[in-house]
Every structure is written in C-alpha cells, then in structure tokens.
Amino acid sequence: MLRATMKYAVWLTMLPALAWAEVESNIPWGVEAVTGYRSESVHRGFILADDVFDFQLESEVALSNEWSVNFGAWYATGTGTDNDYSEFSGFVELRYDTDQWSAGWALGYRDFTETFMQDGWETGPFFSWHFNEDLDLNGRLLYDEGAESMYGTIDLSWSKAINPKSFVAVKGGFSFVDDFYGSEGLHAAEMRLSYTYLVAPNVSFTPFVGTSLGLDDVVDDSLYGGVWFEVIF
C-alpha cells in the first residue's frame, strides 16, 4: 500500500503557510484513516482475492528532529471470491530521517483467512535515498516468518504537483526472494500510477491503477484499479 503519510508530506510542501496552519489545527491527534476499494488484492506478487475493500489506521510519533516511530493497522476483505478471504496486519517502524536519506527497521504481523498465505511475523530494515523533492529510491528487506523466506524490494517513487490541490505519483520496481512460496530469485515487477485530489485541508480522494508482472513462472500477473479515501484527524 502507498503510505498516505507520504501523500500528506507532499501536500504540505504545496500549501501556503496559512493553509498549513489550518491542516495542523485540524489534526490534533495526527491519526490517518484510509478506506478503499481495489479490483484485485495482490500481495507480494500473488492474487489473493477480487473486489477487495480495505481499512487502515496509521499514526506517527516524533522522538526527536530525526527519529520517529510510525505504527498502524490494516484490515482487508474480499467480496468477489467464493471463500471468506480476509487479512489483518499491524506494524511498527522506527525511522531516522535526514534531508538526503532515511532508514529504519520494521516489525509487523499478518493474519490471513481462506488463502494459502501463512500467518506470521515479518521484520527487517528499509532505506530511502532522496534524489530531490520529487524522486526517491527505496529498498526493503524482510524476513517473512509465515513463508519462512526473505523478501526484498527495490523501487523508485516519483510525485509531482499539478496545482495546489492535486498531484500525480508513480511508483515502480521489482522484488526478489529466497524460496517464497515456490518462487526463487527475481520475483515480480510492479508499477502503480495514482492521482490525488485534496478535497479539504485534511481530506483526499485518490484513484489509482497498477500492475504486477511475475518474473517467475509461479508468480501471478495482474492489472488492477481502485480508489482510496483518506482523512487525517
């Protein structure tokens, strides 16, 4: 999932000082709520369900000018399948930020229902290099306890303001694995294009389209679309 925290960081750079102050006054708790729909749920290269609705809560606590803790929970359910697919996950991330780069460590847990994916913890480091305000290079390496496998990703993320109330974002990259549900080596190539419109200082609407292409014979190919609705309060 695209982190909406990053979206709001983009918005704040677009807003004048008075609008920024209005956003801050409207989010006393700094909690972000996201609900959305997607035509297919693709988790790490595998299609798990069709017609999926998801709900997410996320927040961040600053420990200093550089250190912060990000945490949240996510629930998804598929209505277009013959089974009772659902997924619940929770995560916490310790993060260090500078103007040029960011790095940290993530810890999460996933609980699946009616799918071949196994429940379990996942943990590992992540890193981002900020080329400029619009372009980032991101890397992440996790140990997935359920799959008993390492799962890594490398991607580029780019965003650009269209006007003070909207921007476009593109994210694309590939994943690599070590015996991840029968996949070995290069795993999948993924790309997503989104358009975000700022309905109010703390409310957004984001339609998106994406694709995931298997780089291993056991990995699925998918083309999907959807929409997110986000509120910070």
Side-chain angles (χ1 to χ4, degrees), residues 2 4 7 11 35-37 167 169 193-199 204-209 226-230:
L2 178 65
K7 295 180 184 178
W11 288 342
T35 184
Y37 164 83
F167 69 92
L193 169 66
S194 63
Y195 168 80
T196 296
Y197 181 76
L198 189 61
V199 180
S204 74
F205 176 77
T206 304
F208 61 88
V209 293
V227 63
W228 290 305
F229 179 75
E230 300 144 288

Side-chain angles (χ1 to χ4, degrees), residues 180-196:
F180 187 77
Y181 296 105
S183 178
E184 186 78 37
L186 287 177
H187 182 66
E190 299 183 81
M191 179 171 286
R192 182 175 60 230
L193 169 66
S194 63
Y195 168 80
T196 296

